[in-house]
Amino acid sequence: MIPKEILKKVRQIEIRTGRLVNDVFAGEYESVFKGRGMEFHEVREYVPGDDIRSIDWNVTARAGHPYVKKFIEERELTVIIMADMSGSGSFGTRNKMKIELMAEIGAVLSFSAIKNNDKIGLLLFTDKVEKFIPPKKGRPHVLRVIRELLYYKPESRNTSINLALEYLGKVLKKRSVIFLISDFMDSNYERRLGILNRRHDIIGISISDPREKDLIDIGLVELEDAETGEILFLDTGDNLLRKELAKGRASFTEGRNRVFRSMGIDSVDISTDRSYIEPLILFFKARARRFR
C-alpha cells in the first residue's frame, strides 16, 4: 500500500510537469527525437528505379536475380532515464535538493515520451545498479517511474557511472535515447560512455548547486561527505581557500564538458537555484535546428 503523502507528491508533480509538457516540451521533444532511425521491413524483388545501394546481395545470390532491402521510418522510441541516486544528490542549498530536481526533470521527460507514444524506462544507480524498470508505455507506468525517482531509498551512497553504463549496454537490445542525470562527481567512466554512445543517443544532464563552486564566508563549518561519510572542517573565511575551491570546480566542469564534446554527446547544465525549464527548452531548440 502506497502512503497517501507519496501519492499526493506524485500527483503534484504530475500536474505541474504535465502542464509544462502540454504547453512547451512535447512539441520540442517530437521535433528532436521522432523519426531519427530506420528499421528493416522486408526484402522484395528489384524493380527499375530502386537504389542499387539497397540491394541485398545475400538474397540476390541465392535467388539468381536482384532483391532489395526495404526500410521504414522507426516512429516509436525507447527512452531511458538514468538517474544517479548516490549520496551527493541529497545536497541542496537553494530551492531544491539535487535529487528532487532530478525527479522533476525525469517526470517532464517521461510525460513528453508517452505523449509521443514512446516507451520509457528507468535505471537508478549508485556504485551498483539499484533498480531497473524496463521500458513501457502509459500513464500508470510513468507514475511508477516518478514515484521511484522521488522515494526510492538506495542501498549505497557511492557512485559508479561506469558500472551503470556497462549494465545498460548489456540489457538494451534496441537503439535508445538515454538521459543520464547526475552531478557527475565520479571518474573513470569515459571509455564506457563512449562505447555506449556509439549504439545509443546519450544526453548528459548535469545537476549542480551554487555552493559547490561558490562558498560564502560564514566562518568555520563542519561538512560531511554525503558519499563517504568523511567529516571535514573548512574555514570559509579563508579567501584563498574559496578561490582554490572555485578554481577546482571550474576545472572539473570544463573537463566533463570536454569529454562530452569529444564524443559528440549533447549536455544540459541545470542548477538548484534556477528553473530547469529554460535550459531544457534551449537544449531542445538547439538540437532541433541541427536535425532540420
Side-chain angles (χ1 to χ4, degrees), residues 124-135:
L124 304 178
F125 70 94
T126 51
D127 60 351
K128 63 180 181 178
V129 174
E130 296 274 350
K131 176 167 280 195
F132 178 65
I133 300 177

Side-chain angles (χ1 to χ4, degrees), residues 186-223:
D186 193 19
S187 58
N188 302 319
Y189 60 85
E190 293 84 1
R191 177 178 172 273
R192 187 68 59 181
L193 183 68
I195 292 172
L196 195 65
N197 191 55
R198 293 188 200 116
R199 292 182 51 216
H200 304 280
D201 184 1
I202 300 178
I203 295 99
I205 299 181
S206 179
I207 309 294
S208 64
D209 186 90
R211 290 295 164 257
E212 292 171 333
K213 56 187 175 183
D214 182 25
L215 281 179
I216 57 174
D217 181 1
I218 54 173
L220 188 66
V221 295
E222 178 182 340
L223 300 174

Side-chain angles (χ1 to χ4, degrees), residues 16-58:
R16 184 163 60 248
T17 59
R19 287 171 181 163
L20 285 173
V21 168
N22 289 331
D23 295 343
V24 178
F25 287 110
E28 299 292 348
Y29 170 97
E30 182 176 15
S31 67
V32 170
F33 295 113
K34 298 303 282 189
R36 294 295 166 211
M38 302 294 288
E39 62 180 2
F40 175 74
H41 180 55
E42 64 179 356
V43 174
R44 63 162 174 77
E45 290 189 47
Y46 173 87
V47 296
D50 284 339
D51 188 341
I52 61 172
R53 291 174 297 181
S54 65
I55 291 177
D56 187 321
W57 294 107
N58 291 327

Side-chain angles (χ1 to χ4, degrees), residues 39 57-58 69 96 105 139 187 201 249 276:
E39 62 180 2
W57 294 107
N58 291 327
K69 292 179 180 179
K96 291 183 177 72
I105 293 168
R139 177 177 173 273
S187 58
D201 184 1
R249 181 66 189 190
Y276 61 85

